[in-house]
Amino acid sequence: MQNLTFGIEIETIKQTRERVAKAIQSVVGGQVSHLGGMYDAWTVTDTKSRSWKVVTDSSLNASRDRQAEVVSPVLKAEDMEELQQIIRAVRHAGAKVDTSCGIHIHIGADAFTPKAITNLVKTVNKQEELIYEALKVSPNRKATWAKPVNQIFLRKLETSKPKRMDDLNTAWYGGLNRNPIHYDRSRYYVQSKVMWSTAGASPC
């Protein structure tokens, strides 16, 4: 567990992206800059040369200037205390959450085998209703952003027994897809959020 890498996206409302970025800087140091672009991004380059981004998200129930999604760099277990400090700083700066907000956690794939990922999908499928209940997932979010485990994908895993990461990718997309589009519709399933994420190799 100590060797796992992860990233986190934290959605907030009620505060500007600039103020949220400066709250992050108050913990990690470094420089704040405004990148702009489609997501009107602000970035904090910390003292370890890592980039923390704060971007807009149209799914949030707030005016665009009060939408702030924090996107972390790749983190390790040793960064957990600093992450907690960042969350406290962002909250202290006035950022809030409501039912439109969510947290996305991406786990690096390097520590997992295809068999381990297959077993994880099966476990999530068996415990799905308990997971939904524990996290208080709303019916609307269940129908849109966190759909139940894709049963077609599950059956493919059970019958093909993937031995390579590419086999998982093929089972997910129906064909090898090393460069899925960012907002591919397949990303909005429970197992795609619980499984793993790594650039160019993720099946989800």
Side-chain angles (χ1 to χ4, degrees):
M1 291 294 291
Q2 294 299 313
N3 294 325
L4 287 177
T5 59
F6 71 98
I8 188 167
E9 301 172 11
I10 306 170
E11 298 171 347
T12 72
I13 58 173
K14 302 291 187 181
Q15 190 49 274
T16 66
R17 290 176 288 284
E18 180 180 9
R19 288 287 300 277
V20 171
K22 289 180 178 178
I24 295 171
Q25 183 196 31
S26 72
V27 176
V28 303
Q31 301 293 321
V32 175
S33 58
H34 184 214
L35 300 181
M38 181 184 301
Y39 301 105
D40 190 37
W42 287 77
T43 186
V44 182
T45 303
D46 67 20
T47 56
K48 299 176 183 177
S49 298
R50 301 178 304 183
S51 178
W52 299 77
K53 290 184 178 179
V54 185
V55 299
T56 185
D57 188 321
S58 60
S59 70
L60 301 177
N61 291 332
S63 60
R64 195 169 191 270
D65 67 317
R66 291 296 189 273
Q67 298 169 357
E69 179 178 11
V70 177
V71 182
S72 81
V74 176
L75 302 173
K76 297 181 179 179
E78 63 200 48
D79 299 309
M80 188 63 72
E81 182 177 347
E82 183 175 63
L83 176 60
Q84 291 174 332
Q85 292 174 2
I86 288 170
I87 293 171
R88 294 187 190 103
V90 169
R91 184 173 58 192
H92 183 72
K96 305 292 183 182
V97 298
D98 67 4
T99 55
S100 71
C101 299
I103 294 178
H104 308 150
I105 300 173
H106 306 269
I107 306 298
D110 292 345
F112 295 89
T113 64
K115 182 177 180 180
I117 293 172
T118 298
N119 289 338
L120 178 58
V121 174
K122 291 179 180 179
T123 300
V124 171
N125 181 64
K126 289 179 181 179
Q127 305 299 331
E128 193 167 62
E129 290 306 317
L130 289 176
I131 294 171
Y132 279 130
E133 177 60 28
L135 298 177
K136 303 300 180 185
V137 178
S138 70
N140 178 64
R141 191 169 287 270
K142 184 177 178 181
T144 53
W145 312 117
K147 298 176 185 177
V149 168
N150 186 313
Q151 295 300 303
I152 295 175
F153 175 60
L154 179 61
R155 286 195 294 273
K156 287 180 180 179
L157 294 185
E158 292 173 337
T159 56
S160 66
K161 297 180 172 33
K163 294 180 173 56
R164 303 175 305 149
M165 291 301 186
D166 281 353
D167 297 334
L168 283 171
N169 183 293
T170 299
W172 182 255
Y173 289 110
L176 189 60
N177 183 359
R178 294 187 183 279
N179 295 293
I181 61 174
H182 184 71
Y183 289 112
D184 190 280
R185 63 182 180 179
S186 65
R187 68 184 285 175
Y188 301 114
Y189 284 83
V190 164
Q191 76 271 21
S192 70
K193 298 181 184 301
V194 175
M195 287 195 342
W196 53 281
S197 176
T198 182
S202 174
C204 43

